[in-house]
Amino acid sequence: MDNRITMHFRRLPVALLLASAMSTAAELPIKKVVLYKNGVGYFERGAQLAAGETARLEFAADDMNDVLKSLTVTITGPGGVRSVRYDSQEPVERKLEKFPIKLADKAPLASLLDQLKGATLELKRESQPITGVIISARVIPATQQSKESEEVTLLLDSGDIRSFDVAAFQSIRFPDVRLQQQLKDYLGVLTQARSTGKRGVLIESGTEGSRDVKASYMIPTAVWKSSYRLVYPASGEPTIEGWAVVDNTSGDDWNNVSLAVVSGRPISFISELYEPKYVERPHAELPEDRPVGPVLHEAAFAKSAPPPPPAPALAARRGSALGGVIGGIVPAAEVAAPMADMSTVAAQAEAKEAGELFEYHFSQPVTVRKNESAMLPFLQQKLPARKLLIYSNESTVNPTNAVEITNNTGKTLDGGPVTVYDAGSYAGEALTETVKTGDKRLLSYGVDLGARVTTKFESSREVVREIHLRRGVITTRAAIAEKKNYTIKNVDAKAKTLIIEHPARYMYTLLAPAKPSEKTASAYRFEVSVGAAAEQTFVIDEERLLDRTYAVTNVNNDFLATLIQNKNLSAQGRQGLEQIIAKKREIADNDRVIAQAEQDSRELAADQQRVRENINTLSRVPGQQEQVNRYSQQLATIESQLAGLRDKTAEARKRKAALESELNSLIEKLEF
């Protein structure tokens, strides 16, 4: 009992110091908020600190990586900031390594007890408690006669070794207070790992006098959203009205803050800076610490010059470090303000370019309570727009009502939904991506039931338009002509302008119309005017070019004859291909001579073998000498014929080599 009290009082001063620091630390209220589209927000806090006063910032544990990456502290006044400190967080795996026990997920009690061999364990039930030293513990698998159980084996004070069913006892405990504390600390580490509490950052000022302190940082925030209303009056240009939807999920109230929203997506990422990092160091030992074995030296067989002396080691460069300072602490005069002054326009939000981004800054302070959202108007002005129809989806016959807007507002229109009102009535909704100033977009917001579009597709057979030959390779360029007819029927009693979006396909060339009104990455746009209650056909001609290559030596004469008949082939090319065909025919005729001679030789060789077998058979029969002589004469005749065929084959092969040489010479010289 005394030991526990002593431990309690040893811990009490630390708790009192932390409580004192938290109670005396000054809060830095939020002064400025800038929301981005990449999931982060810029926050600026500031206040005046008295001499020696400490400011405290609180962040969620998950936000600390971004805070450590972006926090900047700016001071104005005498002295400076002495230090910036924060609550560290050692990885839970590293903390658990310090304990002599390991609690695996869903591990049985026997697993823990077995790790504590040699510890004193007390088992309690209604009878006398049992105390002993743990020898081992195990899980006994279930059988048909019994359920799974856990068993611990103890060395009792009497010297007996006994095993006990853990489930038979009401409770178990470790009398060793230090072991109890180890278990509590181990479980405390696991509890802290699940904690989502706040982490504190303390900014300590100097003691020379009061000074203004400003802290700015980036943390994850909800992405702000844009929504627009495009309102058509009875006549004239429509008005576009933009609203920014912001969500305060930061955990702090935004009271009269300077708020801005930025269109664009700067790169942002998470870098693990909060948890301490450790590196694995190599093991090293002195040579004399290792046992020495026998060494067998090889005999030398040549002498060489002595090696050059080793180069001097490079001196290690020592880098500067700011101990415990986050983002750097510098006087205000040396730090550029994160947000420059804004130009004033007639809208409720000031707009300006911010590098490659565009910023809307609300001219009046904004208040948004934590866990609340707000809609803030940032744009309201006239916008050039043109009503028309768009046909881009062939799965339907009706085009869509659309509006072509040109962004001449001088501002970037962030992407978002657009609700269209026409003559005081709801007309539909559209979706737009971000539109930079000077750019234009088409916005479809409804289906036009007063117009219908049908299509008809026509295609021609492949036609070879160009034939070339160089270095024995024939190149042909063929074309397939395709035609698509768009028939547009307008049943309304007013003229309409239709934009046809025709797919821009790979390897297809547009022939007519020669030039579209616009071209996107995937489509041509053609503008067609359709009269009231009228019907009109719009035709688009395209062709697909196909380039093919062939080796002259690998194609047959029929293919070459087809090329000769093509009217696009030049006279030189036609004459050259005819010579090649003639020479390939000579080679083919000569190949037939060789093949026939080889066939005849095989047949005569078979006859020769048959005659020899007959001679061998008859030679062993008395009175068959005359027949043997006749077979011998046949054998001589066959041998003479075979010799003639061999000469004929050799001559034909020689001629084939000459013809192939002549063909190769023709091919090499021919070019068109």
Side-chain angles (χ1 to χ4, degrees):
M1 182 65 182
D2 292 340
N3 190 19
R4 296 182 185 179
I5 295 175
T6 302
M7 293 177 63
H8 176 73
F9 279 111
R10 286 178 181 173
R11 294 173 179 268
L12 185 57
V14 179
L16 289 176
L17 287 175
L18 291 176
S20 176
M22 294 179 61
S23 61
T24 60
E27 295 291 337
L28 296 183
I30 297 176
K31 300 293 186 180
K32 192 173 198 175
V33 177
V34 182
L35 302 178
Y36 293 86
K37 287 286 188 176
N38 63 346
V40 298
Y42 169 87
F43 290 81
E44 185 178 295
R45 295 173 178 263
Q48 188 177 73
L49 296 185
E53 190 174 11
T54 298
R56 178 180 176 85
L57 306 176
E58 288 191 345
F59 302 97
D62 293 340
D63 296 344
M64 286 298 293
N65 285 318
D66 287 292
V67 172
L68 297 179
K69 183 175 61 177
S70 60
L71 178 62
T72 301
V73 179
T74 306
I75 58 174
T76 303
V81 172
R82 291 188 297 175
S83 67
V84 177
R85 297 179 289 108
Y86 62 93
D87 299 334
S88 183
Q89 177 169 297
E90 189 176 16
V92 62
E93 295 82 4
R94 185 84 178 185
K95 291 181 179 180
L96 295 178
E97 287 177 358
K98 301 175 182 178
F99 292 91
I101 58 174
K102 303 295 178 186
L103 296 181
D105 189 25
K106 298 181 180 179
L109 177 60
S111 174
L112 171 63
L113 298 178
D114 193 61
Q115 295 179 57
L116 298 175
K117 293 183 179 73
T120 301
L121 183 68
E122 183 180 279
L123 305 175
K124 290 185 178 181
R125 56 185 173 188
E126 295 179 357
S127 59
Q128 184 71 19
I130 299 173
T131 302
V133 177
I134 299 175
I135 295 178
S136 66
R138 61 171 182 154
V139 176
I140 301 177
T143 63
Q144 294 182 350
Q145 291 79 21
S146 62
K147 298 181 180 180
E148 182 183 272
S149 61
E150 295 181 77
E151 182 183 83
V152 61
T153 302
L154 301 180
L155 173 62
L156 304 182
D157 295 340
S158 62
D160 296 339
I161 297 177
R162 294 182 58 187
S163 296
F164 301 93
D165 186 355
V166 176
F169 295 87
Q170 296 175 343
S171 67
I172 64 175
R173 65 183 292 270
F174 297 101
D176 189 344
V177 177
R178 290 178 299 176
L179 184 55
Q180 294 179 18
Q181 190 61 44
Q182 281 185 343
L183 286 173
K184 291 179 181 178
D185 292 344
Y186 189 97
L187 297 175
V189 171
L190 297 178
T191 302
Q192 185 181 7
R194 296 192 299 268
S195 174
T196 58
K198 296 289 186 178
R199 302 293 187 266
V201 175
L202 298 177
I203 303 173
E204 294 184 349
S205 63
T207 59
E208 290 79 3
S210 62
R211 75 282 327 281
D212 292 327
V213 176
K214 182 175 68 176
S216 59
Y217 52 86
M218 310 290 290
I219 59 173
T221 55
V223 175
W224 74 279
K225 287 90 65 180
S226 304
S227 67
Y228 299 91
R229 292 87 173 115
L230 187 65
V231 183
Y232 272 94
S235 61
E237 292 183 342
T239 298
I240 188 167
E241 184 176 284
W243 291 77
V245 179
V246 299
D247 306 289
N248 181 4
T249 58
S250 65
D252 294 292
D253 292 336
W254 300 348
N255 293 318
N256 294 323
V257 301
S258 173
L259 180 64
V261 292
V262 176
S263 175
R265 294 178 184 173
I267 295 175
S268 182
F269 54 88
I270 297 175
S271 183
E272 295 293 340
L273 300 176
Y274 183 42
E275 287 191 354
K277 292 184 179 180
Y278 301 89
V279 295
E280 189 70 24
R281 296 179 297 161
H283 292 273
E285 57 185 18
L286 294 174
E288 56 265 25
D289 293 338
R290 295 191 294 267
V292 179
V295 179
L296 180 63
H297 299 280
E298 295 181 350
F301 62 88
K303 293 185 178 181
S304 60
L314 295 177
R317 291 180 294 179
R318 182 172 302 173
S320 61
L322 293 175
V325 179
I326 310 168
I329 303 173
V330 293
E334 299 180 13
V335 178
M339 301 296 163
D341 293 335
M342 316 296 176
S343 59
T344 303
V345 294
Q348 289 182 285
E350 300 172 350
K352 73 165 187 176
E353 296 283 349
E356 296 299 322
L357 310 177
F358 196 86
E359 176 184 298
Y360 286 97
H361 180 268
F362 297 95
S363 55
Q364 299 297 324
V366 175
T367 296
V368 184
R369 305 297 181 188
K370 62 181 177 182
N371 299 323
E372 289 185 354
S373 301
M375 289 181 61
L376 306 171
F378 64 88
L379 175 69
Q380 191 178 60
Q381 64 187 88
K382 297 290 185 180
L383 188 74
R386 183 168 66 115
K387 291 182 179 180
L388 40 78
L389 304 179
I390 297 178
Y391 183 76
S392 59
N393 185 3
E394 295 188 15
S395 63
T396 178
V397 298
N398 299 108
T400 58
N401 289 315
V403 57
E404 181 188 71
I405 62 171
T406 301
N407 183 9
N408 68 346
T409 63
K411 309 173 182 65
T412 295
L413 301 181
D414 190 72
V418 182
T419 302
V420 181
Y421 295 94
D422 193 357
S425 299
Y426 169 77
E429 298 171 6
L431 192 64
T432 179
E433 58 187 0
T434 299
V435 184
K436 301 286 285 186
T437 182
D439 201 359
K440 66 178 181 179
R441 288 292 187 277
L442 294 173
L443 308 179
S444 294
Y445 58 87
V447 177
D448 182 44
L449 301 178
R452 296 190 294 273
V453 181
T454 57
T455 60
K456 182 181 178 182
F457 179 79
E458 300 176 9
S459 177
S460 68
R461 66 181 182 86
E462 182 178 323
V463 177
V464 178
R465 291 186 176 178
E466 297 181 24
I467 305 173
H468 303 281
L469 187 147
R470 186 180 181 187
R471 295 181 179 178
V473 177
I474 297 175
T475 302
T476 65
R477 173 164 289 182
I480 301 176
E482 294 186 359
K483 179 183 293 186
K484 196 164 190 177
N485 302 317
Y486 291 86
T487 302
I488 309 152
K489 184 175 181 61
N490 180 18
V491 299
D492 288 339
K494 62 179 180 179
K496 298 180 179 180
T497 299
L498 175 68
I499 298 292
I500 294 177
E501 284 195 341
H502 181 78
R505 296 177 291 174
Y506 175 66
M507 297 181 63
Y508 280 82
T509 303
L510 182 64
L511 301 179
K515 188 176 181 181
S517 58
E518 282 185 344
K519 187 178 184 303
T520 69
S522 60
Y524 300 107
R525 285 178 179 162
F526 301 95
E527 187 170 315
V528 183
S529 298
V530 185
E535 183 175 318
Q536 183 173 336
T537 300
F538 187 80
V539 181
I540 298 176
D541 289 328
E542 294 176 291
E543 68 174 8
R544 183 184 181 187
L545 299 179
L546 303 173
D547 290 338
R548 298 188 176 96
T549 57
Y550 311 89
V552 178
T553 55
N554 295 337
V555 297
N556 56 35
N557 285 347
D558 292 338
F559 176 77
L560 296 177
T562 302
L563 298 181
I564 289 175
Q565 296 174 3
N566 192 294
K567 63 180 181 179
N568 295 311
L569 182 64
S570 64
Q572 176 191 0
R574 184 172 289 105
Q575 182 181 1
L577 291 182
E578 288 175 347
Q579 293 175 352
I580 290 174
I581 290 175
K583 191 61 64 177
K584 289 172 75 72
R585 284 174 179 167
E586 289 185 53
I587 294 174
D589 293 340
N590 190 75
D591 286 342
R592 283 191 290 272
V593 171
I594 294 174
Q596 185 62 48
E598 290 176 344
Q599 177 65 26
D600 293 343
S601 296
R602 287 192 294 272
E603 292 177 357
L604 287 174
D607 291 342
Q608 187 181 52
Q609 180 64 25
R610 179 176 53 79
V611 170
R612 284 174 176 169
E613 291 176 355
N614 290 338
I615 290 175
N616 291 333
T617 302
L618 293 175
S619 296
R620 294 190 292 269
V621 179
Q624 299 295 324
Q625 187 62 38
E626 184 179 354
Q627 185 65 31
V628 169
N629 292 335
R630 284 198 297 269
Y631 279 134
S632 296
Q633 292 176 358
Q634 290 182 8
L635 193 62
T637 302
I638 292 173
E639 186 62 33
S640 177
Q641 292 175 344
L642 283 173
L645 287 175
R646 284 194 292 270
D647 292 341
K648 184 177 181 180
T649 301
E651 184 65 27
R653 291 186 183 280
K654 183 177 179 181
R655 175 173 170 74
K656 178 178 180 179
L659 290 174
E660 288 179 342
S661 178
E662 293 173 4
L663 176 62
N664 291 334
S665 179
L666 282 175
I667 293 174
E668 290 177 1
K669 293 179 180 179
L670 185 59
E671 184 173 329
F672 56 85

